Amino acid sequence: MPKGIPNPAAMYGIYPRAWGFEVSIVRNGTRYYKQFGRASYGGEEQALLQAQNWRDGVVRSVPPVPRRTRAEKLRINNTTGVSGVFCQVASGGRVRAWVAKTYIGQDEILRTDFPVNLVGEAAQALAIEERERQLERMAGLAKLHPAEETIRKSPPATHSELLAPKRSKSEIRRSTNSSGVSGVHFKAPNPGHPGYWLAITYTAGKGSVSKAFSIKEHGPEKAKLLAIEERERQLEQKLMSNTAPANDPLTIPFRQGAQQGARQHGPATAEARPQQ
C-alpha cells in the first residue's frame, strides 16, 4: 500500500512475495517473522491462510504496549530526562518557560506552560507534576493498525481443520520434476538405456527410501504409474512413522520395512537398478 495508508485488515503484517507470503510484526523491539511458501502448502490460498493464522496468533499473544508506557519512553532528542516535558528558551539562551504536553487523541492534546518569570525556579517541577496528571488521562494499548483490536477480540478466523499441514521438502514438486508428481523422477543411466521411473522419499534423520520401475519390463506408462503408486505408499509410511508414539514399533522399522518392501520386487529398486 502507498505510504501512510494501512494495509487492508486481512493483509496486516503480511507481505506478498514471488514465492508466497512473509509475516513481519514488531513488538517492543522484537521482530516476529515467518515465511509461508506456496509450494510448501500446496498453493497460494493455503499459504495465505497459514500466514494469517500465524499472524493472528502473534497479535493475540503479544499485544502492543500500553499507550502510557509508550508515552513515557524518552525520545532521542529529549534533554530534560522526563518525557513530555521540555523548556522554551528565549533569545540569549535563557529558559523562558517549562512545558508539559501530552497527546491524548487525534482531537485532544493537553498542554500547560509554566513561565519562569511567574513561578520562578519551581517551573520545571510544576511541569513534571502536570505531565503526571496528563498521563493519568491516557488509557488503553498503543494503536498500531486498525485491525489489531479486531484480531485480538475475535475468535480464530480460520478453523484448524481447514489448514493443510506443511509439506516436507520431499513432497514439494520442483520445477525440474518430469512427472508432475513430487518424489517421482525419470532416470536413464546413459543415452542408450531405456530408463526407469523412480519413487523416492526422504525423512530427516532416517535417510531415504526408494524404488525403481523399469521401462523395459513394464513399459513407459505402467512404470510411471507404478512409481506414483509407490510414492503414495512411501508417504503413508512416512506419515505413520512421524505420528506414531515413541514406543510404537512402527517408529523403528519404517526405513528398514520400506527398503524390505522394495527388495521384494527384485531388481526394480534403487539399490539394484533395472538392467537393459
Side-chain angles (χ1 to χ4, degrees), residues 15-249:
Y15 305 90
R17 297 292 182 253
W19 41 262
F21 302 91
E22 66 180 20
V23 180
S24 179
I25 295 178
V26 177
R27 285 289 184 274
N28 307 328
T30 300
R31 181 176 297 277
Y32 295 83
Y33 176 85
K34 192 171 182 180
Q35 297 178 334
F36 298 86
R38 286 192 292 268
S40 296
Y41 293 97
E44 184 166 338
E45 181 180 357
Q46 267 296 322
L48 179 57
L49 286 176
Q50 296 280 352
Q52 290 171 333
N53 185 66
W54 190 81
R55 182 270 321 271
D56 291 356
V58 172
V59 170
R60 293 191 183 97
S61 61
V62 192
V65 297
R67 294 184 64 216
R68 176 165 180 168
T69 299
R70 188 170 71 170
E72 290 175 329
K73 184 177 180 180
L74 288 176
R75 307 299 183 220
I76 296 177
N77 59 353
N78 184 284
T79 59
T80 66
V82 180
S83 66
V85 174
F86 58 94
C87 63
Q88 291 183 334
V89 181
S91 58
R94 181 178 57 85
V95 176
R96 186 178 65 83
W98 284 91
V99 180
K101 185 178 180 180
T102 303
Y103 176 87
I104 301 296
Q106 186 173 0
D107 300 319
E108 186 177 9
I109 298 177
L110 305 179
R111 172 173 173 155
T112 304
D113 293 32
F114 296 89
V116 172
N117 63 344
L118 294 180
V119 296
E121 295 181 357
Q124 182 178 7
L126 291 171
I128 292 173
E129 292 176 1
E130 174 60 20
R131 167 67 170 174
E132 284 295 318
R133 286 191 290 270
Q134 292 174 358
L135 287 173
E136 291 174 359
R137 300 270 303 275
M138 185 175 287
L141 300 176
K143 294 182 179 180
L144 304 179
H145 188 279
E148 276 272 351
E149 189 171 2
T150 301
I151 292 173
R152 284 198 302 274
K153 293 183 177 180
S154 301
T158 304
H159 296 293
S160 57
E161 60 268 18
L162 299 178
L163 297 174
K166 185 177 181 180
R167 296 178 174 183
S168 65
K169 291 183 179 180
S170 62
E171 296 175 273
I172 298 175
R173 184 168 65 88
R174 308 300 177 185
S175 59
T176 55
N177 182 280
S178 57
S179 68
V181 178
S182 67
V184 176
H185 310 275
F186 174 75
K187 302 287 185 179
N190 55 66
H193 197 292
Y196 56 92
W197 284 97
L198 177 71
I200 183 168
T201 299
Y202 174 79
T203 301
K206 299 180 180 179
S208 61
V209 177
S210 62
K211 185 175 180 180
F213 297 87
S214 167
I215 288 178
K216 182 178 180 179
E217 179 182 351
H218 302 288
E221 294 301 323
K222 185 175 180 181
K224 179 179 179 180
L225 179 61
L226 289 171
I228 293 173
E229 292 174 349
E230 171 61 18
R231 166 65 169 169
E232 292 175 353
R233 188 191 70 80
Q234 291 173 4
L235 289 175
E236 289 176 0
Q237 289 291 323
K238 177 177 178 178
L239 179 62
M240 291 172 61
S241 174
N242 290 341
T243 57
N247 59 353
D248 192 317

